[in-house]
Amino acid sequence: MIELKSETKTLICIGSGGVGKTTFAATVAIGKACEGKKVLVLTIDPSLRLAQALGMKPDGEIHDLTTEAMRNKNGKLFACVIQHEKAFHEFIVKASGQKLAAADIEKLTNNKLYKQLSTKLSGSQEFTSLFKLNFYVNSGEYDLVILDTPPAQHTWQFLKAPEKLSQLFNEGVASWFRNPKQTDIGFFKKVLNIGTTQVLKALETLTGADFIKELGLFFSAIQNWQGPLEKQVMDCHRLLASQTTEFALITMLDPSRITECQKISQEIQQEGYQLTTLVINKVPAWFKNKNSRKSEKINRLSSYYEDIEKLLTQSLTSGAGFKNQLKIYKCPEVSQNELHEKNLSEIYLQISKIN
Amino acid sequence: MATQKIHFFTGKGGVGKSLMAASYACMLSEKSDHGPVLLAELTERSFYRDFLGLDNLGYKPILAGKLSKHLSISQWSTNDCLKEYALHLLKIESLYKLFFENAVSKSLIQVAPGLQELAILGKATSSVRKHGPQMPFSEIVIDAFATGHFMNLFRAPKAMSEIISFGPMGEQSRGIDQWLRDANFCHVHIATLAEDLPITETIELYNNLKSEFGITAKVYLNKLLKLNDVDFENLSVDEKKHFSEISENESVSIEKLKSAGIHYQEILFVPEIDRVKLIGQIAGSL
């Protein structure tokens, strides 16, 4: 079982690729719903098996997955698979307020740079999941919203996403490329100071005039929205730093994670985020059963996992820079052939605290 | 010196591509007929620095003495690649300083789609294009991005040359795109695990690389156990269940790759905690 503070409304699961974040997020969601909470779990790209097992549909909508066992405890479970492009569009529409005509939104969404931004900008996927998270947390509909973060090379990509996006909508940048009164031609000349002109010239040398023109068109399309857009971005950032938001860092028994995990958790805490939970995931349940195995291969494997677990828990509990509030859990490996709600709720009960 | 070769390693997150890239680079550099090899990681936060304990790992290649005598390692952060490119194009130091020490242009670079990807690929192809500083390596092994991000990286030059047809950017984009499609120069390696999701992603990526770039990627089926009947003797019920599942996953994965017409290399699981030994062992099996 995972202990959360009573005031906690948001749980964000972070960790590098392959550690089983999505399954873990679903497991905690099921477990908390069985404890009687109204839970929403937001995931990105769940495996087909997991989606089928739980009845998730990849349509960006919320689905009610409440089971009999949850209902008996007055709990509820909802799940949503975030659709990135749909969510980015929702964000733009919401940020623009009611003032904007559909035609204006279309003008923007047809811009080549917008298309690139909404799909390819690193950090934009992280941002849309944060935007959806913020929306659902503020709706007040749920006791707990659990977010499974997008697969990123590094956890920092997720935490820095609001910052990156606010740079994009920063009034200072945007105003460079706009010429409110005239057409796009010659807007360079309207730019006020010499330094700016030189920087733009340098950029033109690097990228070509076409590129600058596209940027100009983009920024004039999002003119007047800077304020609301930035507010949305700020709100998302505030949610990350909120006292009612807890972070769980997921890791697994792999030699490359030992130092990585210790470092990341220290850094996250230093930045002031509430990292309260550390989960060693996918712990093989079998390797404690010492018996008269014949297989040399499996014996080596079992001592290998034991060694890593020892090293990992040592490095985590040795306290080098660790704040003592950090709770460390072990979560058993889930059989992919037995992925269903009932099995996951049993796994949830087997999650054990080791410090 | 023979023409330089470049190797990109990609795959789903968590399948061990950084380790595969390091092992491959190590294997290349140990061959007696080879010139110096560079292992480069595309990341803002180094993986190899901690993993190999190389505290001074940065943009400038350093020797990875522990792994191999002829191997250098460097970290290609986007900003460093872009700086080098900018300095090469702008020539004038003061203009470059003005450009890069400006907060506004710093954020512009982050925002400008494709610019970061181009800077990275521009760096990777600088020697063969004879554009920018030359890199004195016979082969360059790049620990690149995971699947989706990797395709975006490879698609960037063509997309950019379509948006911007004129100017230095358009011209260079076309040049980079052509080199990526050169089968003698550019090689893509996909690491995967014998599991449902990574295999599906691998097949899709393999097919996309083939249809969009004419590239035939090399596939590595990583961390295989390949258990036989003897291994299953005297196991507990839990163990039997666990390992039968793994064995089944392995045979299903192999079946899927075969029916997709994909050749792959099997990489056995190495239960070794010592990092240098681990890389050495995988390199030996390549």
Side-chain angles (χ1 to χ4, degrees):
Chain A
M1 285 192 283
I2 297 283
E3 295 163 26
L4 296 175
K5 293 194 289 185
S6 58
E7 66 268 29
T8 292
K9 290 196 160 318
T10 314
L11 177 68
I12 299 178
C13 303
I14 53 176
S16 40
V19 296
K21 275 192 298 278
T22 309
T23 309
F24 179 78
T27 305
V28 176
I30 289 169
K32 289 289 171 192
C34 288
E35 285 174 6
K37 289 206 157 159
K38 194 175 175 190
V39 185
L40 169 68
V41 58
L42 299 170
T43 76
I44 297 112
D45 201 19
S47 74
L48 195 62
R49 277 185 184 171
L50 183 67
Q52 280 170 350
L54 301 180
M56 293 173 169
K57 292 189 186 82
D59 55 4
E61 302 296 325
I62 288 183
H63 294 278
D64 188 341
L65 306 179
T66 308
T67 62
E68 198 56 43
M70 297 165 190
R71 215 167 283 129
N72 289 341
K73 295 270 183 182
N74 276 327
K76 278 182 175 172
L77 175 66
F78 298 88
C80 170
V81 180
I82 297 173
Q83 288 297 304
H84 171 60
E85 276 175 60
K86 200 170 167 181
F88 198 87
H89 192 259
E90 274 173 35
F91 161 66
I92 293 288
V93 173
K94 189 165 195 292
S96 70
Q98 307 303 316
K99 298 165 281 180
L100 217 76
D104 285 334
I105 291 177
E106 208 188 310
K107 188 176 145 201
L108 176 68
T109 51
N110 282 333
N111 181 285
K112 282 180 200 161
L113 282 186
Y114 170 86
K115 283 183 184 164
Q116 290 249 355
L117 280 175
S118 61
T119 53
K120 292 177 183 165
L121 179 72
S122 77
S124 72
Q125 195 169 10
E126 284 81 357
F127 181 75
T128 47
S129 44
L130 210 47
F131 167 72
K132 291 300 267 189
L133 176 71
N134 190 43
F135 177 79
Y136 290 124
V137 171
N138 286 333
S139 75
E141 293 265 323
Y142 309 96
D143 300 327
L144 178 68
V145 183
I146 299 174
L147 176 70
D148 157 39
T149 54
Q153 191 197 17
H154 208 282
T155 312
W156 287 110
Q157 282 172 10
F158 177 76
L159 295 171
K160 298 286 175 198
E163 204 175 299
K164 261 195 160 175
L165 235 85
S166 82
Q167 281 172 337
L168 164 62
F169 297 122
N170 182 297
E171 178 61 36
V173 181
S175 63
W176 281 33
F177 289 92
R178 280 203 308 260
N179 177 11
K181 296 232 167 81
Q182 294 188 15
T183 51
D184 311 301
I185 310 146
F187 66 86
F188 276 121
K189 299 200 172 69
K190 293 281 167 195
V191 177
L192 293 173
N193 66 63
I194 300 285
T196 314
T197 316
Q198 274 194 322
V199 173
L200 279 177
K201 264 189 189 153
L203 191 69
E204 195 181 352
T205 312
L206 287 170
T207 62
D210 277 17
F211 182 73
I212 307 286
K213 200 175 152 194
E214 279 287 334
L215 267 183
L217 286 171
F218 175 77
F219 283 115
S220 69
I222 62 164
Q223 199 165 5
N224 303 328
W225 306 14
Q226 251 80 41
L229 281 169
E230 268 206 85
K231 190 187 167 296
Q232 286 289 329
V233 177
M234 279 307 293
D235 282 353
C236 289
H237 184 73
R238 213 166 283 142
L239 177 70
L240 285 182
S242 160
Q243 280 302 305
T244 59
T245 299
E246 287 188 51
F247 283 80
L249 176 63
I250 325 294
T251 186
M252 62 189 262
L253 297 180
D254 183 287
S256 65
R257 321 267 173 185
I258 299 170
T259 40
E260 181 193 70
C261 190
Q262 191 181 28
K263 235 178 157 166
I264 294 175
S265 32
Q266 282 172 6
E267 284 170 351
I268 292 173
Q269 290 186 334
Q270 274 161 17
E271 292 268 324
Y273 299 114
Q274 268 202 100
L275 176 69
T276 57
T277 305
L278 203 142
V279 181
I280 305 171
N281 202 16
K282 295 187 178 181
V283 175
W286 52 268
F287 76 61
K288 289 291 175 214
N289 311 326
K290 295 222 162 110
N291 59 12
S292 52
R293 288 184 207 116
K294 283 199 173 160
S295 171
E296 181 59 28
K297 230 180 203 173
I298 292 179
N299 281 336
R300 266 190 75 192
L301 211 59
S302 113
S303 52
Y304 166 78
Y305 281 125
E306 273 175 298
D307 289 348
I308 300 184
E309 190 179 330
K310 232 179 270 163
L311 278 172
L312 189 61
T313 39
Q314 251 171 32
S315 90
L316 291 175
T317 49
S318 66
F322 268 81
K323 291 188 181 164
N324 25 6
Q325 300 99 302
L326 194 64
K327 288 166 284 190
I328 305 173
Y329 295 91
K330 251 165 64 168
C331 179
E333 189 167 29
V334 187
S335 159
Q336 291 297 305
N337 291 340
E338 290 170 6
L339 269 182
H340 47 77
E341 174 272 329
K342 203 164 162 277
N343 192 27
L344 289 183
S345 64
E346 273 161 27
I347 292 280
Y348 176 74
L349 297 176
Q350 289 168 31
I351 299 174
S352 57
K353 202 163 150 226
I354 59 170
N355 68 332
Chain B
M1 195 163 80
T3 327
Q4 195 176 61
K5 281 186 182 155
I6 194 156
H7 304 268
F8 290 92
F9 276 79
T10 177
K12 193 180 186 318
V15 299
K17 61 176 166 306
S18 301
L19 212 54
M20 285 300 302
S23 306
Y24 191 82
C26 210
M27 180 273 289
L28 284 179
S29 68
E30 293 285 287
K31 282 187 183 172
S32 56
D33 54 339
H34 258 295
V37 176
L38 176 70
L39 172 64
E41 54 176 342
L42 301 187
T43 168
E44 303 304 312
R45 295 173 70 93
S46 174
F47 170 77
Y48 295 126
R49 185 180 301 137
D50 287 343
F51 190 69
L52 298 171
L54 298 164
D55 289 339
N56 50 348
L57 181 60
Y59 193 57
K60 207 172 151 240
I62 56 165
L63 280 171
K66 263 192 281 180
L67 284 182
S68 158
K69 268 183 262 169
H70 314 286
L71 180 66
S72 301
I73 302 192
S74 75
Q75 177 195 1
W76 291 358
S77 84
T78 314
N79 273 345
D80 287 328
C81 292
L82 210 57
K83 245 182 208 173
E84 197 177 80
Y85 171 63
L87 196 57
H88 173 73
L89 268 188
L90 296 173
K91 306 265 184 331
I92 311 154
E93 181 87 24
S94 62
L95 192 58
Y96 149 81
K97 272 194 180 149
L98 180 73
F99 186 68
F100 271 95
E101 281 162 17
N102 185 303
V104 178
S105 55
K106 268 187 196 158
S107 48
L108 255 180
I109 291 161
Q110 296 218 332
V111 166
L115 198 57
Q116 309 199 21
E117 284 85 354
L118 273 191
I120 289 165
L121 292 175
K123 166 83 177 162
T125 56
S126 65
S127 293
V128 284
R129 291 186 300 123
K130 300 187 171 52
H131 213 294
Q134 302 294 297
M135 289 181 284
F137 298 101
S138 57
E139 312 219 17
I140 299 175
V141 178
I142 298 177
D143 177 23
F145 305 128
T147 319
H149 197 177
F150 179 76
M151 279 311 285
N152 289 343
L153 174 74
F154 260 47
R155 283 172 182 149
K158 190 157 180 275
M160 193 56 106
S161 70
E162 279 163 8
I163 297 177
I164 303 151
S165 15
F166 303 105
M169 194 87 158
E171 224 166 274
Q172 294 216 29
S173 304
R174 274 187 294 277
I176 294 170
D177 184 57
Q178 274 165 17
W179 277 106
L180 293 184
R181 292 161 196 271
D182 185 324
N184 288 320
F185 166 71
C186 175
H187 305 265
V188 178
H189 304 253
I190 309 172
T192 182
L193 295 177
E195 287 168 18
D196 195 17
L197 268 183
I199 288 288
T200 311
E201 252 190 56
T202 297
I203 295 174
E204 200 186 313
L205 176 62
Y206 182 92
N207 290 334
N208 286 341
L209 282 168
K210 191 139 217 177
S211 65
E212 289 181 43
F213 297 93
I215 293 171
T216 305
K218 262 195 188 171
V219 173
Y220 302 88
L221 196 48
N222 197 11
K223 291 193 176 177
L224 286 178
L225 287 185
K226 299 205 95 180
L227 300 172
N228 54 36
D229 290 348
V230 181
D231 291 316
F232 279 93
E233 275 175 43
N234 292 6
L235 292 188
S236 70
V237 179
D238 281 353
E239 289 173 335
K240 219 167 238 166
K241 208 173 83 181
H242 177 81
F243 288 106
S244 323
E245 196 178 320
I246 290 181
S247 289
E248 201 201 315
N249 274 338
E250 290 184 356
S251 51
V252 169
S253 299
I254 287 171
E255 213 36 64
K256 277 187 186 163
L257 288 178
K258 277 185 180 160
S259 62
I262 298 174
H263 293 287
Y264 59 89
Q265 185 171 352
E266 295 183 347
I267 307 291
L268 288 180
F269 186 88
V270 182
E272 174 61 67
I273 296 177
D274 184 284
R275 292 132 198 223
V276 174
K277 280 189 200 157
L278 176 60
I279 290 174
Q281 281 198 42
I282 300 174
S285 71
L286 279 168

